[in-house]
């Protein structure tokens, strides 16, 4: 009976040594990598959930890049709209000064300069893409021309490129927003008003020097028209500001989702180093005990007595 008992104990101790070595190796690997396992197989039933979480995290990373680019784009758009408003204000001030002084000196140059500013604003680009280019997105949506050239045309239709619908982008799951309006929608009312001034001058005489009664009446009538154009542009700029705010909030929401998800993934992947240290110590103790018993048992055989 002693022979059978020690036989079983012998192999039981050998198994204990192997198990202790395996447990020590696993604990040492976890302590080194600070991860539960080195591959998905090591996570067992949690592997599928972990893979899904990582896939979604990668999607949030890609969306974060898109939203950051949209934020930068919104800043460029805001600057272009500010320039457009400044151009309208410049034209309005020039008309107000001409009316107040009853003199059109400098009015022509001011209006030409305002048109030049609008040209730059309407054709603003970000990262090779036209800000006010709608779905078309590339090239210049406004074909530049002087006031004299515009006045010689029947209208300004030829100066505006058909850019299609306004561009929409996805900023959250199942939620998209419309980006900036197209250049024609934003700036054509101002360009058309500037053109109409030059058309009137061609028919009634240039608005230079001391203004006649008819010229003064005409200039005074232009001021409220310019104010209306300016108000409309301000309203559209406010819409763009609202869109920029939505993008900003989407960035914050996306970052929060990503941080929470990464923390969850980390909880699944990363180990508690204190727990690992305890398991490593237990594995070492198990190994040492099994090795000690194995050392004693290996001498309990007939061969020792036949030497």
């Amino acid at each position: 009976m002693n022979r059978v008992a020690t036989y079983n104990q012998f192999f039981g101790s050998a198994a204990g040594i192997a198990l202790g070595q395996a447990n020590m190796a696993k604990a040492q690997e976890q302590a080194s990598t600070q991860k539960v396992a080195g591959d998905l197989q090591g996570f067992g039933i949690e592997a599928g959930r972990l893979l899904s979480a990582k896939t979604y995290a990668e999607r949030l990373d890609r969306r974060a890049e898109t939203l950051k680019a949209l934020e930068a784009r919104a800043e460029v758009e805001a600057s272009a709209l500010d320039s457009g408003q400044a151009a309208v204000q410049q034209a309005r001030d020039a008309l107000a000064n001409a009316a107040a002084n009853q003199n059109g000196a400098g009015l022509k140059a001011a209006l030409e300069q305002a048109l030049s500013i609008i040209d730059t604003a309407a054709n603003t680009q970000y990262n090779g893409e036209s800000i006010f280019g709608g779905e078309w997105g590339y090239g210049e949506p406004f074909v530049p021309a002087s006031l004299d050239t515009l006045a010689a045309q029947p209208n300004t239709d030829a100066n505006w490129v058909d850019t299609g619908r306004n561009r929409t982008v996805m900023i959250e799951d199942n939620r998209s927003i419309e980006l900036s309006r197209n250049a024609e929608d934003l700036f054509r009312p101002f360009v058309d008003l500037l053109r109409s001034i030059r058309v009137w001058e061609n028919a009634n005489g240039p608005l230079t020097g001391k203004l006649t009664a008819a010229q003064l009446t005409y200039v005074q009538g232009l001021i409220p028209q310019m104010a209306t154009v300016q108000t409309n542009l301000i309203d559209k700029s406010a819409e763009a500001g609202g869109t920029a705010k939505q993008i900003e909030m989407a960035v914050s929401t996306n970052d929060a989702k990503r941080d929470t998800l990464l923390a969850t993934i980390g909880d699944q992947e990363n180990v508690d180093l204190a727990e690992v240290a305890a398991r490593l110590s237990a594995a070492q103790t198990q190994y040492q005990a099994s090795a000690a018993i194995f050392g004693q048992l290996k001498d309990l055989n007939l061969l020792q007595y036949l030497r």
Side-chain angles (χ1 to χ4, degrees):
M1 294 299 294
N2 183 57
R3 178 177 62 81
V4 175
T6 56
Y7 177 85
N8 290 334
Q9 289 178 5
F10 182 85
F11 283 99
S13 297
I17 291 175
L19 180 61
Q21 288 176 326
N23 289 339
M24 281 193 298
K26 182 177 180 180
Q28 287 170 342
E29 179 185 2
Q30 290 179 337
S32 175
T33 63
Q34 299 185 20
K35 301 292 183 183
V36 172
D39 53 34
L40 287 174
Q41 184 177 0
F43 290 93
I45 61 174
E46 296 293 330
R49 186 181 305 171
L50 185 60
L51 182 60
S52 296
K54 285 190 171 185
T55 300
Y56 187 50
E58 291 173 358
R59 196 167 91 192
L60 292 178
D61 281 338
R62 291 192 296 270
R63 183 171 296 162
E65 294 176 2
T66 300
L67 290 173
K68 292 294 184 184
L70 288 177
E71 266 195 319
R73 183 187 186 281
E75 292 179 5
V76 175
E77 178 184 356
S79 178
L81 289 171
D82 286 344
S83 296
Q85 291 181 55
V88 178
Q89 184 64 54
Q90 176 178 314
R92 184 178 177 182
D93 289 343
L95 291 171
N97 289 335
N101 298 321
Q102 298 185 18
N103 194 304
L107 179 59
K108 179 177 180 179
L111 298 183
E112 286 282 6
Q113 186 178 29
L115 177 62
S116 178
I117 294 173
I118 288 297
D119 168 19
T120 301
N123 291 325
T124 298
Q125 292 197 349
Y126 170 75
N127 199 25
E129 189 174 276
S130 176
I131 292 289
F132 305 114
E135 289 185 332
W136 175 63
Y138 298 95
E140 296 185 341
F142 176 63
V143 180
S146 66
L147 284 178
D148 286 333
T149 300
L150 294 178
Q153 302 172 181
N155 51 52
T156 65
D157 287 352
N159 297 91
W160 304 101
V161 176
D162 182 6
T163 58
R165 297 176 300 178
N166 295 337
R167 181 182 166 198
T168 59
V169 294
M170 189 73 69
I171 60 172
E172 291 181 302
D173 291 338
N174 302 317
R175 182 187 170 212
S176 62
I177 61 171
E178 187 177 88
L179 295 182
S180 49
R181 293 171 177 261
N182 61 58
E184 183 175 5
D185 188 19
L186 288 167
F187 304 116
R188 180 164 184 169
F190 181 55
V191 174
D192 283 351
L193 182 54
L194 293 180
R195 174 187 171 277
S196 71
I197 295 173
R198 185 53 50 87
V199 170
W200 190 92
E201 287 183 295
N202 290 343
N204 298 278
L207 298 171
T208 56
K210 185 172 178 58
L211 301 178
T212 65
Q215 288 176 324
L216 180 59
T217 299
Y218 176 69
V219 169
Q220 290 172 335
L222 288 172
I223 296 174
Q225 296 181 53
M226 194 65 70
T228 299
V229 169
Q230 186 176 28
T231 299
N232 289 336
L233 186 55
I234 290 173
D235 289 343
K236 290 170 182 176
S237 296
E239 290 179 10
T243 300
K245 188 63 178 178
Q246 290 186 67
I247 294 172
E248 180 183 340
M249 293 175 64
V251 169
S252 299
T253 300
N254 190 78
D255 287 347
K257 285 182 180 179
R258 185 177 55 176
D259 291 344
T260 300
L261 188 59
L262 290 178
T264 302
I265 292 173
D267 290 341
Q268 291 180 335
E269 282 190 328
N270 300 332
V271 295
D272 184 334
L273 292 179
E275 179 186 346
V276 170
R279 285 193 284 107
L280 179 58
S281 177
Q284 289 171 334
T285 300
Q286 177 190 4
Y287 173 79
Q288 290 170 354
S290 297
I293 294 173
F294 181 85
Q296 295 174 3
L297 292 177
K298 71 182 180 63
D299 291 332
L300 296 180
N301 59 72
L302 183 62
L303 183 61
Q304 296 296 323
Y305 297 98
L306 297 177
R307 288 178 179 175

